[in-house]
C-alpha cells in the first residue's frame, strides 16, 4: 500500500518538474524573442539615423532626387511593355481569326467518295439480299452473302478514310492560312518587335527590376551616384520610319504617345540633372 503511495507521489513530483521545466523554457523563449525584437528595433533605429544623416550629404541628396524619378520610370517602362505586347498580340490574333484558307482541290476525293459510297450501298444491299434468300441454309447463297458482306465492310472503311482525307486536307489548308497570317502580322512589326531604339523587350523588363532593387537597397547600402542605373536611356522610342509601312495603326498611335512622353520625361530629367 505504501509502495503505491510512494509511486504516486513520485509521479506527481515528476509531472510537476516537467511542467516547471516547460514553463521556464517558454518564459526563456519569450525573453529571447523580446530581446531579438529590441535588438532589431535598435538596429533599425540606428540604420534610420545613419540614413537620415546620409540623406543630407551630396550623395544622399543625389540618391533621393534619382529615386523620385526612378520609380515612375520603372512603372512607365513596364506599362509600355505590357500595352505594346497587348497590341501586338491582338494584331496577331485578329490576323489568325480572319485568315481564310484558299480553295482546296478535293475534286479527286469527291469523285472517289461518290464511287465508294455507291459501291458500299450496293454491296450491303446485295449482302443482305443473298443472306436473306439463303435463310438458315448454309449453301452457295449464304457463302456469297458472306463474301459480299466482307467486301461491303472493306468498302465502308475506304469510304470513311476518304471522307477523313477530305477533312484533313481542309484542316491543313486552314492551318497553313493561320501560319501565313501570323507570319504576316509579325512582319508588320519588323525584325525587332521592341518599341525601344536599342533594348529588346526582355532587357526592358530587366531594367525596372534593377531600378526597384536599387531603390530598396539604397537606404542600407548608400550607393554612389555613379552606381545608380541611368534613367534617360529608357526614354528612347523607335521612330516610325524604322518600322514597315504596314505597321498597324494602333501600334503607330502608341509610338507617337511614347515619343511625346519621352520628350517631357527627358526634359524633367535634364532639369533634375539626372542621366
Amino acid at each position: 500500500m505504501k509502495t503505491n503511495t510512494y509511486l504516486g507521489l513520485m509521479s506527481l513530483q515528476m509531472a510537476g518538474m516537467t511542467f516547471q521545466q516547460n514553463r521556464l523554457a517558454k518564459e526563456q523563449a519569450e525573453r529571447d524573442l523580446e530581446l531579438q525584437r529590441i535588438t532589431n528595433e535598435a538596429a533599425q533605429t540606428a540604420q534610420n539615423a545613419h540614413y537620415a544623416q546620409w540623406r543630407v550629404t551630396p550623395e544622399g541628396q543625389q540618391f533621393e532626387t534619382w529615386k523620385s524619378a526612378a520609380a515612375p520610370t520603372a512603372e512607365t517602362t513596364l506599362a509600355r511593355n505590357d500595352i505594346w505586347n497587348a497590341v501586338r498580340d491582338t494584331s496577331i490574333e485578329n490576323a489568325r481569326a480572319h485568315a481564310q484558307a484558299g480553295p482546296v482541290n478535293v475534286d479527286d476525293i469527291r469523285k472517289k467518295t461518290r464511287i465508294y459510297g455507291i459501291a458500299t450501298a450496293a454491296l450491303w444491299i446485295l449482302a443482305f439480299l443473298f443472306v436473306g434468300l439463303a435463310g438458315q441454309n448454309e449453301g452457295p447463297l449464304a457463302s456469297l452473302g458472306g463474301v459480299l458482306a466482307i467486301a461491303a465492310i472493306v468498302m465502308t472503311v475506304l469510304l470513311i478514310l476518304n471522307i477523313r482525307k477530305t477533312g484533313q486536307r481542309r484542316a491543313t489548308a486552314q492551318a497553313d492560312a493561320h501560319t501565313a497570317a501570323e507570319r504576316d502580322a509579325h512582319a508588320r512589326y519588323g525584325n525587332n518587335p521592341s518599341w525601344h531604339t536599342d533594348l529588346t523587350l526582355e532587357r526592358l523588363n530587366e531594367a525596372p527590376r534593377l531600378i526597384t532593387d536599387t531603390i530598396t537597397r539604397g537606404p542600407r547600402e548608400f550607393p554612389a551616384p555613379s552606381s545608380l542605373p541611368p534613367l534617360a536611356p529608357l526614354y528612347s522610342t523607335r521612330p516610325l520610319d524604322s518600322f514597315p509601312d504596314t505597321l498597324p495603326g494602333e501600334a503607330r498611335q502608341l509610338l507617337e504617345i511614347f515619343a511625346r512622353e519621352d520628350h517631357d520625361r527627358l526634359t524633367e530629367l535634364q532639369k533634375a540633372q539626372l542621366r
Side-chain angles (χ1 to χ4, degrees):
M1 183 68 177
K2 291 183 178 180
T3 303
N4 293 336
T5 302
Y6 292 152
L7 290 176
L9 291 174
M10 290 178 62
S11 298
L12 289 174
Q13 185 177 11
M14 292 180 63
M17 292 177 60
T18 302
F19 176 79
Q20 181 72 6
Q21 290 174 352
N22 291 339
R23 184 178 64 81
L24 292 175
K26 181 179 179 182
E27 291 176 353
Q28 183 61 43
E30 291 175 350
R31 286 194 294 269
D32 291 342
L33 287 175
E34 180 64 14
L35 179 61
Q36 182 65 37
R37 184 187 65 80
I38 295 173
T39 302
N40 290 340
E41 287 184 355
Q44 186 63 48
T45 301
Q47 178 65 31
N48 292 341
H50 191 189
Y51 178 55
Q53 294 174 353
W54 179 75
R55 286 177 62 180
V56 299
T57 65
E59 288 189 349
Q61 291 177 349
Q62 183 74 6
F63 173 75
E64 290 297 313
T65 302
W66 173 86
K67 183 176 70 172
S68 64
T73 297
E75 294 175 0
T76 298
T77 303
L78 290 176
R80 285 186 178 188
N81 274 5
D82 289 343
I83 191 170
W84 180 260
N85 280 328
V87 169
R88 190 183 61 173
D89 293 345
T90 300
S91 297
I92 295 171
E93 288 302 318
N94 287 340
R96 286 177 55 86
H98 293 88
Q100 297 292 335
V104 181
N105 185 11
V106 291
D107 292 341
D108 57 334
I109 300 179
R110 286 200 187 98
K111 184 177 180 181
K112 289 181 180 179
T113 301
R114 187 165 51 252
I115 294 173
Y116 291 157
I118 295 172
T120 299
L123 287 172
W124 278 117
I125 292 173
L126 291 174
F128 282 118
L129 178 63
F130 282 106
V131 170
L133 291 175
Q136 300 295 327
N137 300 323
E138 295 184 358
L141 290 178
S143 299
L144 182 58
V147 172
L148 290 173
I150 294 173
I153 293 172
V154 173
M155 193 59 63
T156 301
V157 172
L158 291 175
L159 176 62
I160 294 173
L161 291 176
N162 210 56
I163 294 173
R164 289 186 60 186
K165 186 176 180 180
T166 302
Q168 290 172 352
R169 185 174 293 186
R170 287 175 175 163
T172 300
Q174 189 63 44
D176 292 342
H178 285 163
T179 301
E182 184 173 345
R183 184 173 58 250
D184 292 342
H186 277 290
R188 297 190 189 114
Y189 288 81
N191 295 327
N192 181 6
S194 176
W195 56 266
H196 195 272
T197 304
D198 303 312
L199 301 179
T200 62
L201 293 176
E202 289 74 16
R203 292 291 302 277
L204 286 169
N205 280 325
E206 294 173 1
R209 285 195 290 269
L210 176 60
I211 291 174
T212 303
D213 185 57
T214 304
I215 293 174
T216 303
R217 292 185 294 104
R220 299 192 306 271
E221 300 181 358
F222 310 138
S226 59
S227 67
L228 299 176
L231 306 178
L234 292 177
Y235 296 107
S236 181
T237 302
R238 286 176 63 190
L240 279 171
D241 57 13
S242 66
F243 287 90
D245 294 336
T246 55
L247 183 70
E250 296 84 353
R252 290 180 172 275
Q253 292 176 5
L254 276 182
L255 292 174
E256 292 173 353
I257 294 173
F258 292 170
R260 289 195 298 270
E261 191 174 39
D262 287 345
H263 179 269
D264 296 339
R265 293 296 179 87
L266 289 173
T267 301
E268 294 174 359
L269 293 176
Q270 187 176 6
K271 291 180 179 178
Q273 297 182 352
L274 293 173
R275 297 176 293 150

